[in-house]
Amino acid sequence: MTAAMPTTTDYAWADSGALDDPYCLTLVRGLTPEEFMARVHAETRPRPMRLDADFHDVSYDLRSAGGALFIGAAAVPGENWTLAYESNGHLGVTAEAMIPVSLGTRVVSHYEGGNGRYRFFWAEDGDVRLDFDPLYAHDRCGSTPDALLDDMVEIGYDLRDDASLEDIDFTFPLIAASFALAERLTGIRVTPELLADRTFLCGQARVPFPQDR
């Protein structure tokens, strides 16, 4: 029997306040956490951390002090993927940072920054395949902006290009939708337990060309 494709229902937990605000989550295939951190030129710390209050506090303190972004990376058990997480960061959806990471592999990231700021990003072997704001999913860029249209329709994205601001359904679970779309690209089911049970190799990195995220 073919497994059901992921939907927003599978990720209702992600829209329930379980994640940091802002958060950024990145999945990269075939790289170890150490290799991922090297590709983003992160200055790593000797001790791993969990995604707890200390991780959150360090992230905010670093960015407040000078703009460095704190990021953690951990291997996904049983899979050839690394999961990276940021609290109050956006490295994973910044093309200038992720294009080098994607060389020879696939990177899929999504971000929620509060105040209606969202991003979904997919790069493959140095090529940005898809980059869009989930709130305005009709406005997509990248070399293959329509590659996931069927998946986006099934998940429930509003793809109308003539919708007015009044027509937008602001109750649609955009975070859950990003998780579901990311799973369709990676095959990785992210759960609260997956995030809570990992220890992350952590470090700080600077965005090559800072963007307004």
Side-chain angles (χ1 to χ4, degrees):
M1 178 180 292
T2 302
M5 297 297 281
T7 68
T8 56
T9 301
D10 297 306
Y11 287 102
W13 64 268
D15 268 291
S16 67
L19 297 165
D20 289 299
D21 183 10
Y23 85 88
C24 185
L25 188 144
T26 301
L27 288 161
V28 57
R29 183 180 60 201
L31 298 183
T32 66
E34 291 78 9
E35 290 168 335
F36 172 82
M37 297 295 267
R39 288 199 183 190
V40 297
H41 303 288
E43 180 184 339
T44 58
R45 299 190 169 202
R47 292 185 180 180
M49 298 179 69
R50 293 189 179 273
L51 300 183
D52 55 16
D54 287 340
F55 185 96
H56 176 92
D57 290 345
V58 171
S59 300
Y60 275 77
D61 289 345
L62 274 175
R63 191 161 186 184
S64 298
L69 300 179
F70 196 62
I71 187 166
V76 178
E79 304 287 349
N80 190 29
W81 289 80
T82 281
L83 182 151
Y85 186 86
E86 299 169 73
S87 173
N88 194 33
H90 55 84
L91 200 67
V93 292
T94 300
E96 293 85 356
M98 289 300 111
I99 287 174
V101 173
S102 75
L103 293 175
T105 189
R106 171 177 288 187
V107 172
V108 179
S109 308
H110 48 93
Y111 160 89
E112 187 273 325
N115 299 317
R117 295 178 297 165
Y118 301 88
R119 206 81 207 163
F120 188 95
F121 180 86
W122 165 29
E124 196 117 0
D125 196 19
D127 177 37
V128 178
R129 300 286 301 276
L130 177 62
D131 186 3
F132 73 100
D133 180 341
L135 189 58
Y136 305 99
H138 67 278
D139 185 14
R140 301 175 303 280
C141 59
S143 64
T144 58
D146 297 337
L148 301 180
L149 276 184
D150 289 345
D151 293 292
M152 294 175 74
V153 169
E154 289 180 6
I155 289 169
Y157 283 99
D158 186 349
L159 299 173
R160 296 172 297 168
D161 60 7
D162 59 349
S164 66
L165 189 63
E166 291 75 19
D167 293 329
I168 296 175
D169 180 8
F170 288 98
T171 66
F172 180 68
L174 290 167
I175 297 174
S178 288
F179 271 90
L181 190 61
E183 184 180 344
R184 293 187 181 211
L185 273 169
T186 65
I188 301 300
R189 172 64 57 92
V190 177
T191 64
E193 293 76 22
L194 177 65
L195 296 176
D197 293 346
R198 308 271 73 72
T199 56
F200 287 73
L201 174 66
C202 295
Q204 61 194 72
R206 293 188 177 273
V207 177
F209 301 95
Q211 298 182 8
D212 183 16
R213 294 290 187 191

